[in-house]
Amino acid sequence: MFGSKQKNNSTAEATSRLEDFDYLNPKSIYLDSACQSLRPKSVCAALQEYYTKYNACGGRVKYDWGQKVDEAIDEARGAVLRLLHLSSKDYVTSFTLNTTYGINLLLQQLPQGFYKRVITSDIEHNSVFLPTMTLATRLGVERIVLSRTPTGELTYSSDQLEKAIVVVNSTSNIDGRKLSSIKELVRDAHERGGIVIIDAAQTMAHNHEMLIGCAADAICFSAHKMYAPSLGVIVCRKSLLRSLDYQIVGGGMVSNVTENNFKLASEDPASQLEPGLQAFGEIIAFSQALKWLDEIRPFGEDRSKYINSLGNELFEGLKSLPDVNVINAGPTSVVSLYSSKMDAHRLAIFLSSGGIMARSGYFCCHYYLREKLNLPPLLRFSIGLNNTHQDITTTINTVEKLMRSA
Amino acid sequence: MFCIAAFIVLVIISIFSARYRRLAKKAWGCVARRLTFRPCDTKFKDELKSRLLAHVALKKPQFVKAASIGIEVGSFVIVALTVWSLYVVFKSGLNLYVYGTCNPANAASCSLGAEACSIETAKPSFVTSIKELKLHSWLANEFSGLGETIAAVPTRMQDWRAEDYLPANATYEQTYSNTKPTALDIFDPGCQYCRQLYRNQLQANFASKYNVSYIAYPIANPKTGDGYKFRNSMIITRYLEAMKIKPLIKAKTPADWQILNRIFTKADSDGTSYQQKINIVLNGDETQTLLQKWMHEMGYADDDTSAIRTLAFSDRVSNVIENNRKIVEHKVKTVKIPTLIFNGQRHGGVVDIQDLK
């Protein structure tokens, strides 16, 4: 239904969007991809195809539509593992609502009596920061909030990782800083009997390579930040799954039920985090989004390089503006700022009036931004593959113009 | 102030468009906080203000500060006007209830009340007060007027008995009967609505059910040369009071009532009603000549006419008129002429024939 061939010439690059996003109003500049990326036409088509051609339940059915759904879901699970170079012998892919829900599903079902502490970092999204609080309370263990360096590394001592549950992001949603020492962290935690759960919501769309070979116990992320429909994804080590004390249970995850007991479907471990009916259409469209991400070469460029070039341009442009304080240490696809002369919410409204969509506030990082750094609300621009160099230029020029009104 | 102004504007817009009702609800939350002396919801205020300023910011960023000040000033004006409007509505409603007119100072200007002639007041207008830098005295007048209205609320609910307000030397349109209740008509001989009420009474045969008496009350008007709203009303009133003192012997209808009947119901040979002629055409001397001619026709001897003329301008009649004025202004406290007291109520303005029957 929608074509997915890309234009590949420099003239088009200057002013045009990728064909996959040509349904957008040319004057609309969407810069909130850290919250939710836009969907390319092929993803929309896949979702529509499911709803119009084989709109059935999956889950061990015998009719064609259902079996087609099951195949597509299995394909999606496999595609995620392939993307992260993980073996299906050790890991499974489960689907849920979003990253927050995925992290909660794991943390709130970790068993009592084994772990000594919960460790997280100061720049976490509330999806990590809050569940680690309730987890520590439930397990009756201490909770340690560690600092992250301006470049993203977690500052810790090996002793702190002793039988620790470490829950951290691999990329910050505030300024895009990365946990580049992720492999070392996982290795150190494992050596001390700890586990590491990664919030990879901001990583998977453009920097999933950094997670390859990290051997984390679980990686949670959101398909809707990867050009797919709204969906949460949990990639989990089977050994961790087996250790969970299942509290959230129901249809689709058991092999047998007696009057007072049930047996989980051990042959389908992925289902153990998937109680109830799944968002089949969204999972299938996510599979298409993974294919699209694999194939896309915006204007002939590597997608990560393209995003980085836009991020660099945005970072340098905003940083050069007077009265604008960019809080990023360096260029990333997520750039946050504030101005002492104009409230971020007002700036966001003014930008919106000019067709530029950016997020303002604390981006669910209240502790770090408001409590720790005592910063005012911020304005955040987050880039996606729907954006062009012209979008970035227009945005910088508009911010500059608006700052004159302050 | 901005939140309150926004609430006012949004509520009005919401009447016509459901799209703004959600915002109006938000604004109400803000207003409720202000009313309970808590800080306003700054998020809502800032967001709405920013949305208003957004277009200016994009097109002429240098004017944003000026526009922002303009919004604050505009908000203050909107709130001030709304508060004042609510005050006026409340005050007008109260006046309508108490006096039968929303504007006691100019009863004729209020279309909600019965038709009547106003008893004008000499209070300066708002514009005049501003020009003379006497805003404080205008405010004092405004609120003392409200105070008077509030103080007069009990009069609206009292049982009105015409007998309590009858003047000295009261005369009745028909022979007084103990079996009939009394009604009192307070009028100005020059007022067209008094003429209308008198004619309604005739058509309703009101005098057959009530002992109808009257107080002639020339409405004062400080702005005119002679000090009265209708230029010959005081002369006629003087003659009416003089005729009460020197009645027409053996007359079936008292002479003063006969004069009133002619003024209110008869017309000159050219078709002009006598009331209109007296108000517009005749001067004081000509009015007296007309009255004396009528008295002669009614049966007064020349000596009696001469005596009544002298009596009309005597201190005795002046005192009677002054006493009558006090009854109207201080006891009845009406602001509308005519006023008819009957059936336990005080009716300001023209009363319908049906209500008189």
Side-chain angles (χ1 to χ4, degrees):
Chain A
M1 185 178 138
F2 294 123
S4 63
K5 299 288 177 198
Q6 308 308 323
K7 283 181 185 172
N8 189 6
N9 62 66
S10 56
T11 334
E13 184 183 353
T15 53
S16 305
R17 267 176 229 298
L18 294 178
E19 271 185 22
D20 295 286
F21 301 103
D22 65 6
Y23 57 84
L24 284 175
N25 180 332
K27 290 182 179 173
S28 296
I29 300 176
Y30 182 78
L31 287 166
D32 197 16
S33 293
C35 177
Q36 175 173 276
S37 51
L38 299 182
R39 282 75 176 187
K41 290 190 292 189
S42 60
V43 171
C44 301
L47 188 64
Q48 190 178 19
E49 187 183 8
Y50 165 73
Y51 281 120
T52 55
K53 294 191 176 166
Y54 57 109
N55 185 6
C57 274
R60 300 182 290 275
V61 293
K62 306 303 175 199
Y63 55 85
D64 289 349
W65 284 10
Q67 289 186 343
K68 187 174 179 184
V69 169
D70 278 343
E71 281 169 21
I73 302 298
D74 285 344
E75 167 53 29
R77 294 188 202 281
V80 172
L81 295 183
R82 285 197 298 278
L83 183 71
L84 293 170
H85 295 200
L86 294 171
S87 163
S88 60
K89 285 182 186 170
D90 299 323
Y91 286 89
V92 296
T93 305
S94 298
F95 297 109
T96 182
L97 287 176
N98 47 48
T99 305
T100 303
Y101 210 84
I103 291 170
N104 271 281
L105 270 176
L106 292 172
L107 297 190
Q108 304 313 326
Q109 300 187 106
L110 284 171
Q112 298 267 1
F114 181 77
Y115 299 103
K116 280 188 175 174
R117 62 184 59 87
V118 179
I119 290 178
T120 189
S121 84
D122 52 2
I123 61 165
E124 299 304 325
H125 188 280
N126 288 339
S127 62
V128 168
F129 211 68
L130 273 58
T132 54
M133 290 181 193
T134 55
L135 171 65
T137 305
R138 185 174 65 81
L139 297 183
V141 299
E142 66 175 331
R143 175 174 173 268
I144 300 173
V145 179
L146 298 175
S147 295
R148 299 273 285 267
T149 65
T151 51
E153 282 83 17
L154 187 70
T155 310
Y156 62 90
S157 68
S158 295
D159 292 345
Q160 288 173 314
L161 302 181
E162 180 77 21
K163 289 194 174 179
I165 303 161
V166 182
V167 192
V168 287
N169 67 52
S170 49
T171 305
S172 163
N173 71 316
I174 302 167
D175 53 12
R177 77 178 88 165
K178 294 178 182 64
L179 182 60
S180 51
S181 59
I182 190 166
K183 288 176 187 168
E184 290 77 12
L185 172 67
V186 174
R187 185 196 62 212
D188 292 346
H190 285 171
E191 281 176 3
R192 295 280 180 157
I195 59 167
V196 178
I197 296 172
I198 300 294
D199 164 11
Q202 300 298 331
T203 307
M204 289 299 289
H206 308 130
N207 296 293
H208 75 278
E209 293 88 353
M210 69 176 284
L211 297 171
I212 294 172
C214 77
D217 297 274
I219 299 169
C220 300
F221 57 93
S222 295
H224 48 262
K225 298 181 203 296
M226 296 176 69
Y227 307 92
S230 295
L231 187 72
V233 186
I234 307 166
V235 174
C236 188
R237 199 183 276 276
K238 285 181 178 174
S239 56
L240 179 62
L241 273 184
R242 282 193 292 271
S243 75
L244 296 181
D245 177 13
Y246 288 98
Q247 301 296 318
I248 303 164
V249 291
M253 58 190 292
V254 289
S255 59
N256 193 28
V257 182
T258 61
E259 183 175 353
N260 293 310
N261 215 336
F262 61 86
K263 187 171 182 240
L264 292 170
S266 57
E267 76 282 4
D268 184 13
S271 69
Q272 291 166 19
L273 294 174
E274 296 177 344
L277 187 95
Q278 296 301 295
F280 300 116
E282 283 73 4
I283 295 169
I284 291 164
F286 170 53
S287 196
Q288 173 57 38
L290 292 178
K291 279 184 204 157
W292 180 81
L293 272 170
D294 187 43
E295 292 168 1
I296 187 73
R297 289 185 60 78
F299 309 107
E301 256 188 283
D302 174 79
R303 65 182 158 90
S304 293
K305 279 186 185 168
Y306 179 70
I307 289 288
N308 289 343
S309 69
L310 294 181
N312 191 55
E313 202 175 313
L314 182 66
F315 173 76
E316 296 299 339
L318 291 172
K319 205 179 169 192
S320 68
L321 298 181
D323 303 318
V324 168
N325 302 297
V326 175
I327 68 160
N328 289 49
T332 71
S333 63
V334 181
V335 181
S336 296
L337 58 88
Y338 67 93
S339 167
S340 54
K341 286 197 164 182
M342 193 189 293
D343 173 65
H345 294 303
R346 170 165 288 190
L347 195 48
I349 290 170
F350 285 0
L351 286 168
S352 168
S353 189
I356 299 170
M357 292 166 262
R359 183 163 291 267
S360 56
Y362 291 110
F363 325 125
C364 289
C365 295
H366 298 79
Y367 166 70
Y368 181 68
L369 295 175
R370 190 154 67 179
E371 295 297 315
K372 191 165 181 181
L373 300 186
N374 199 25
L375 288 175
L378 304 179
L379 181 70
R380 183 183 76 183
F381 299 100
S382 49
I383 296 163
L385 290 168
N386 55 288
N387 293 121
T388 64
H389 288 284
Q390 182 61 50
D391 288 348
I392 304 302
T393 306
T394 304
T395 301
I396 295 165
N397 290 343
T398 309
V399 172
E400 183 184 19
K401 187 177 182 184
L402 289 174
M403 290 313 297
R404 290 205 294 270
S405 71
Chain B
M1 197 60 83
F2 177 77
C3 279
I4 300 171
F7 174 69
I8 294 162
V9 173
L10 287 167
V11 160
I12 295 167
I13 300 174
S14 296
I15 296 169
F16 306 102
S17 168
R19 188 180 156 198
Y20 295 97
R21 281 174 203 156
R22 189 178 58 84
L23 272 178
K25 271 186 191 170
K26 270 191 178 182
W28 167 245
C30 192
V31 172
R33 290 183 70 85
R34 290 300 293 263
L35 292 176
T36 49
F37 303 106
R38 288 174 294 165
C40 190
D41 181 353
T42 50
K43 270 187 189 172
F44 172 75
K45 177 190 169 183
D46 291 343
E47 184 174 338
L48 206 57
K49 203 172 164 187
S50 297
R51 289 198 186 283
L52 290 172
L53 291 170
H55 292 288
V56 182
L58 282 169
K59 290 187 177 164
K60 301 277 180 190
Q62 66 272 30
F63 292 142
V64 166
K65 275 184 186 165
S68 180
I69 294 168
I71 287 173
E72 291 294 343
V73 171
S75 301
F76 178 80
V77 170
I78 288 171
V79 172
L81 287 176
T82 305
V83 169
W84 186 251
S85 301
L86 290 173
Y87 164 75
V88 169
V89 167
F90 168 75
K91 190 182 163 193
S92 301
L94 196 63
N95 280 324
L96 193 61
Y97 173 72
V98 173
Y99 298 120
T101 173
C102 35
N103 183 5
N106 186 3
S109 69
C110 177
S111 59
L112 295 174
E115 292 172 315
C117 293
S118 312
I119 300 175
E120 308 285 356
T121 61
K123 290 174 184 171
S125 69
F126 177 74
V127 176
T128 311
S129 301
I130 293 286
K131 281 181 186 168
E132 295 174 356
L133 299 175
K134 287 181 178 173
L135 187 61
H136 58 285
S137 61
W138 178 82
L139 282 170
N141 283 336
E142 185 61 37
F143 291 113
S144 72
L146 178 64
E148 285 168 17
T149 304
I150 292 169
V153 168
T155 66
R156 175 66 174 78
M157 292 177 279
Q158 76 178 61
D159 182 27
W160 287 84
R161 292 178 69 252
E163 293 86 342
D164 298 339
Y165 306 96
L166 286 175
N169 299 328
T171 58
Y172 298 91
E173 190 172 4
Q174 294 182 4
T175 306
Y176 182 83
S177 165
N178 284 327
T179 60
K180 293 194 291 188
T182 300
L184 176 66
D185 189 359
I186 300 169
F187 59 74
D188 181 322
C191 168
Q192 68 273 30
Y193 300 112
C194 302
R195 173 174 176 260
Q196 182 62 49
L197 177 59
Y198 179 81
R199 292 161 80 101
N200 285 358
Q201 288 178 39
L202 288 181
Q203 283 195 48
N205 205 11
F206 190 63
S208 66
K209 292 185 290 182
Y210 288 89
N211 294 309
V212 184
S213 186
Y214 72 92
I215 292 175
Y217 174 80
I219 301 170
N221 186 352
K223 292 173 189 168
T224 60
D226 58 1
Y228 294 97
K229 190 164 193 164
F230 304 101
R231 62 183 182 183
N232 291 314
S233 282
M234 181 48 105
I235 291 170
I236 293 167
T237 302
R238 286 183 174 281
Y239 270 80
L240 292 173
E241 293 302 334
M243 279 184 262
K244 285 184 189 174
I245 295 168
K246 202 165 181 59
L248 186 63
I249 307 300
K250 293 183 181 174
K252 188 179 174 187
T253 301
D256 49 330
W257 280 99
Q258 290 187 47
I259 294 289
L260 287 173
N261 185 271
R262 290 186 183 220
I263 293 171
F264 288 150
T265 64
K266 307 295 181 192
D268 202 359
S269 53
D270 61 0
T272 308
S273 78
Y274 279 118
Q275 187 191 54
Q276 212 171 2
K277 192 159 188 175
I278 291 167
N279 280 346
I280 298 166
V281 181
L282 305 183
N283 61 26
D285 290 341
E286 290 166 338
T287 302
Q288 286 194 62
T289 305
L290 177 66
L291 290 172
Q292 287 162 23
K293 177 175 166 265
W294 282 350
M295 287 159 65
H296 180 74
E297 289 169 3
M298 285 154 47
Y300 273 111
D302 289 346
D303 290 347
D304 292 335
T305 304
S306 177
I308 286 172
R309 187 181 62 207
T310 307
L311 195 55
F313 295 93
S314 68
D315 288 345
R316 185 180 173 187
V317 164
S318 295
N319 289 337
V320 169
I321 292 171
E322 176 59 18
N323 287 335
N324 289 351
R325 188 187 65 77
K326 285 178 182 171
I327 291 171
V328 174
E329 294 178 4
H330 299 146
K331 286 182 75 180
V332 179
K333 292 180 180 172
T334 186
V335 296
K336 294 174 86 174
I337 297 296
T339 291
L340 185 61
I341 299 171
F342 74 100
N343 197 26
Q345 288 184 309
R346 181 188 65 187
H347 302 264
V350 176
V351 182
D352 288 340
I353 297 169
Q354 288 302 319
D355 295 333
L356 292 168
K357 280 183 178 174

